[in-house]
Amino acid sequence: ETGVTQSPTHLIKTRGQQVTLRCSSQSGHNTVSWYQQALGQGPQFIFQYYREEENGRGNFPPRFSGLQFPNYSSELNVNALELDDSALYLCASSWDGSNYGYTFGSGTRLTVV
Amino acid sequence: QKEVEQDPGPLSVPEGAIVSLNCTYSNSAFQYFMWYRQYSRKGPELLMYTYSSGNKEDGRFTAQVDKSSKYISLFIRDSQPSDSATYLCATIDNNDMRFGAGTRLTVKP
């Protein structure tokens, strides 16, 4: 299977709840990065996983956590949701963290009410 | 100061025009520079990448990096309505891709 797929495409949650977003990496890609894109802004780096280990983290609090599985699929978990967490969450995969080989999914639009 | 600055526009041009999109960056250590195109309700799609200074051409698109002035440009020749999208410049720093805010471009038929 080619391409990066993310699920769900849209999600509405209540403040204080927890959410799990999922990503299936492009075949053969062992590196996955997660980004948060607020409306009208560029994507902001959350963290990266390489071979199931966290391999870099942006300026996001610990309530943002992730997992990467042996089949290179991954999850982004956000606890204690806040209104400002409303955004498009993007997953991007690459081979060995190639500097310009990232393939993005279409994202999950999360709305926190 | 943001590490990558980009004028958000919006920018509207007639079909066939030459489009110039620009970004500035603050850290002279950045070496890799990318341009992504993002259609509405889609993820970013890599258009061009360059390493260090210089020009790179791909069809109607030319990417230009001037490291002396920390300036990144994307030129689109013979613009088409299908080029209407948001264009994001980006650079990489230790696995962390830093994006500009994106410029929203509309090409009118």
Side-chain angles (χ1 to χ4, degrees):
Chain A
E1 182 182 338
T2 59
V4 176
T5 55
Q6 292 187 242
S7 63
T9 54
H10 295 87
L11 200 53
I12 300 175
K13 288 286 191 178
T14 303
R15 188 172 50 182
Q17 284 188 313
Q18 178 266 343
V19 69
T20 297
L21 310 181
R22 293 182 171 83
C23 172
S24 177
S25 298
Q26 181 160 323
S27 179
H29 283 185
N30 57 12
T31 305
V32 65
S33 300
W34 285 90
Y35 290 82
Q36 180 195 67
Q37 186 175 24
L39 201 61
Q41 299 295 316
Q44 299 290 314
F45 176 68
I46 302 175
F47 45 59
Q48 182 184 87
Y49 278 79
Y50 172 68
R51 295 185 177 180
E52 302 172 56
E53 297 284 333
E54 189 175 292
N55 186 42
R57 189 177 182 92
N59 189 26
F60 280 81
R63 59 189 185 83
F64 286 78
S65 63
L67 282 173
Q68 186 184 31
F69 301 101
N71 65 355
Y72 302 137
S73 65
S74 65
E75 289 180 354
L76 164 66
N77 299 289
V78 187
N79 294 322
L81 283 166
E82 300 176 1
L83 298 179
D84 284 351
D85 295 333
S86 296
L88 179 68
Y89 288 85
L90 295 161
C91 163
S93 71
S94 67
W95 169 248
D96 275 358
S98 166
N99 282 324
Y100 34 76
Y102 288 87
T103 302
F104 280 85
S106 291
T108 294
R109 172 73 61 187
L110 173 66
T111 302
V112 182
V113 296
Chain B
Q1 180 191 12
K2 288 186 178 180
E3 289 183 295
V4 182
E5 297 270 9
Q6 183 175 12
D7 185 345
L11 182 62
S12 181
V13 301
E15 183 175 354
I18 296 174
V19 177
S20 172
L21 303 168
N22 306 293
C23 291
T24 58
Y25 62 95
S26 59
N27 189 337
S28 58
F30 291 152
Q31 297 278 11
Y32 294 91
F33 303 93
M34 288 78 72
W35 283 95
Y36 283 83
R37 177 173 61 193
Q38 187 173 22
Y39 290 114
S40 181
R41 298 187 178 86
K42 294 289 188 181
E45 166 196 17
L46 181 65
L47 265 181
M48 305 275 292
Y49 67 86
T50 53
Y51 173 71
S52 195
S53 277
N55 292 359
K56 186 170 184 177
E57 191 172 318
D58 184 2
R60 297 184 295 109
F61 298 88
T62 299
Q64 195 172 75
V65 177
D66 181 347
K67 292 203 78 182
S68 63
S69 58
K70 300 194 190 78
Y71 205 78
I72 315 164
S73 299
L74 178 71
F75 300 97
I76 307 174
R77 290 181 297 281
D78 187 25
S79 56
Q80 302 294 309
S82 58
D83 295 329
S84 297
T86 295
Y87 290 80
L88 297 152
C89 60
T91 185
I92 281 217
D93 179 31
N94 288 331
N95 303 324
D96 176 355
M97 201 151 35
R98 312 287 177 89
F99 286 89
T103 299
R104 188 180 183 92
L105 171 68
T106 300
V107 181
K108 295 185 175 180

